[in-house]
Amino acid sequence: MKRSCKDCLYRDRCIKKTDKPEFNKRIYINRRGKELKAQARVNLTSEYGLQMRSLRPVEVESVFGNIKGNFGIRRFILKGLTKVKLEWGLHCIAHNMRKMAAFSV
């Protein structure tokens, strides 16, 4: 179903400056995506979902942020999964040692 954007009140906000006055915006709706989001919402707000979410540790995300943001680790130096796992392990050990040093004062 094609509709014209010509008479729309929000045309100026929605469509940026264009050389073609007949230009219309196309909006695509992923109906399957909406169904999946609704199902995920039901799962997360169910009694079992709330119970499982309460078990999820929150601290892990702060560790990633600390290693990336405060210590500037944005890329791995080594290549290959085995070496990357080793490098990440060393970063985690360093993070834990910093925490131990900070709290042993």
Side-chain angles (χ1 to χ4, degrees), residues 34-51:
K34 282 187 172 184
E35 291 171 9
L36 292 172
K37 284 181 189 177
Q39 183 61 43
R41 187 173 294 114
V42 168
N43 291 343
L44 290 171
T45 55
S46 70
E47 189 174 323
Y48 179 72
L50 291 172
Q51 181 184 5

Side-chain angles (χ1 to χ4, degrees), residues 3 10 13 23 26-27 29 31 33 35 48 54 57 64 68 70-71 78 83 85-86 90 92-93 95 104:
R3 292 187 180 171
Y10 304 104
R13 287 191 227 160
F23 182 79
R26 293 182 186 174
I27 299 175
I29 299 172
R31 298 194 195 297
E35 291 171 9
Y48 179 72
S54 69
F64 287 123
K68 285 176 65 178
N70 296 337
F71 300 105
L78 303 173
K83 293 178 185 175
K85 284 181 180 180
L86 176 70
L90 290 172
C92 292
I93 290 170
H95 172 78
S104 66

Side-chain angles (χ1 to χ4, degrees), residues 62-73 87-105:
S62 65
V63 172
F64 287 123
N66 190 19
I67 290 173
K68 285 176 65 178
N70 296 337
F71 300 105
I73 308 301
E87 185 179 347
W88 180 250
L90 290 172
H91 289 304
C92 292
I93 290 170
H95 172 78
N96 288 334
M97 290 178 76
R98 285 186 205 108
K99 282 175 57 176
M100 289 170 58
F103 289 114
S104 66
V105 173

